[in-house]
Amino acid sequence: MSAPTALAPPVPHHIAIVMDGNGRWASKRFLPRIAGHKQGVDSLKRCARACDARGVKVLTVFAFSSENWQRPVEEVSGLMDLFAVALGREVPQLHADGVQLRFIGERVGLSARVLQGIEKAEALTAPNARLILNICFNYGGRWDIVQAAARLASQGIAVTEQHLSQAMALAHVPDPDLVIRTGGEWRISNFLLWQSAYSEFVFTDKLWPDFDETELDLAIAAFGRRERRFGKTSDQVCIPPSPAVA
Ligand code: IPE
Ligand code: IPE
Ligand code: MG
């Protein structure tokens, strides 16, 4: 007779992350803020690999918000440059690792160089299915709801929850199971307003460049302890324990 094995805690299918704290990471080291953003790219690569290794199928990250244009012009142009350079440098390896890249957000307002990088990366990695990596860039949850509603209106389609969901920018993936925000703030900052309706949230003080596998495992473990009720009662959702093995 073999001993009953403990059920492995569930791994979220879809994790979404507000990658916050790059600027503070740099300031603490007397470095320019852009150094923190550069370090943030490495943290994202590490996180994508770690998610894949743990069986996560979709990772959605917030890289540049609709409101981030209001930052000092040097920071915005530094971020745009870094984004274009990082795309050129990192996409081949991500492609080799089977990652499908999707860029979520408003394309109007992005430079030709950035747009070209986005389009090339999406076309190259489209057949990959190991991990979907959605990069929210020039993205806002309000923008997404408005563009979806406008699309339905222009096509004369009734505004229902189902139609709106299908018109939103993340229609190709299920809603996030777990939303993580690094950097110590407890707010959503216009991230997945519609899609996070029933996500579990984990907030950590770790600054994004310091977010490593251990932190990811802590967040996944916290997720595993949550009871997701989706409006039902605890009795309705809890799985009765299986009878003891004789
Ligand atoms: C998140 O880090 C990255 C972007 C918003 C582009 P921040 O740049 O917001 O870092 P902090 O919050 O100032 O430390
Ligand atoms: C949210 O972080 C946006 C991204 C991580 C891209 P912010 O640093 O812009 O959010 P606030 O301003 O602190 O709410
Ligand atoms: Mg911030």
Side-chain angles (χ1 to χ4, degrees):
M1 187 186 80
S2 58
T5 47
L7 278 177
V11 172
H13 178 88
H14 180 177
I15 296 183
I17 308 184
V18 180
M19 308 185 292
D20 196 22
N22 295 347
R24 280 165 285 164
W25 183 94
S27 301
K28 270 176 38 180
R29 289 163 178 78
F30 306 101
L31 294 168
R33 289 176 58 87
I34 195 71
H37 297 309
K38 284 186 182 148
Q39 202 66 30
V41 175
D42 289 343
S43 194
L44 174 55
K45 282 193 290 180
R46 178 173 60 203
C47 183
R49 270 197 303 269
C51 281
D52 175 40
R54 283 151 184 78
V56 174
K57 300 312 289 178
V58 184
L59 175 63
T60 299
V61 295
F62 204 5
F64 190 86
S65 75
S66 315
E67 290 75 31
N68 288 149
W69 292 105
Q70 298 170 69
R71 293 188 175 199
V73 69
E74 325 76 77
E75 178 158 349
V76 172
S77 60
L79 279 165
M80 293 297 152
D81 273 354
L82 175 62
F83 185 73
V85 169
L87 277 182
R89 198 181 51 211
E90 309 298 347
V91 168
Q93 188 58 53
L94 288 165
H95 178 49
D97 292 342
V99 176
Q100 182 188 133
L101 279 163
R102 299 275 199 133
F103 295 88
I104 311 299
E106 187 162 22
R107 303 273 165 118
V108 176
L110 300 179
S111 70
R113 182 179 171 218
V114 164
L115 283 174
Q116 218 175 41
I118 284 178
E119 281 157 20
K120 241 177 101 177
E122 284 191 331
L124 177 71
T125 64
N128 299 340
R130 203 176 156 85
L131 174 77
I132 296 178
L133 175 55
N134 297 307
I135 300 188
C136 296
F137 194 82
N138 196 17
Y139 171 87
R142 289 178 175 178
W143 162 82
D144 197 7
I145 294 167
V146 169
Q147 69 79 24
R151 189 130 56 99
L152 295 186
S154 73
Q155 294 169 7
I157 300 172
V159 177
T160 63
E161 279 196 25
Q162 195 196 354
H163 291 157
L164 258 186
S165 289
Q166 286 164 351
M168 307 250 325
L170 280 180
H172 58 290
V173 290
D175 287 345
D177 302 291
L178 170 63
V179 175
I180 301 170
R181 181 169 184 147
T182 63
E185 311 295 355
W186 291 17
R187 57 176 171 260
I188 193 137
S189 300
N190 201 11
F191 196 34
L192 308 170
L193 299 181
W194 176 272
Q195 297 87 347
S196 64
Y198 269 103
S199 304
E200 297 299 325
F201 283 78
V202 168
F203 296 96
T204 165
D205 288 338
K206 280 274 170 189
L207 303 174
W208 174 247
D210 294 328
F211 186 89
D212 57 11
E213 289 88 348
T214 308
E215 281 296 311
L216 178 67
D217 287 335
L218 284 172
I220 292 176
F223 172 80
R225 292 190 296 273
R226 306 277 174 88
E227 182 183 70
R228 304 186 76 190
R229 290 190 290 276
F230 299 97
K232 298 179 181 172
T233 67
S234 198
D235 286 348
Q236 287 175 295
V237 296
C238 87
I239 307 153
S242 53
V245 181

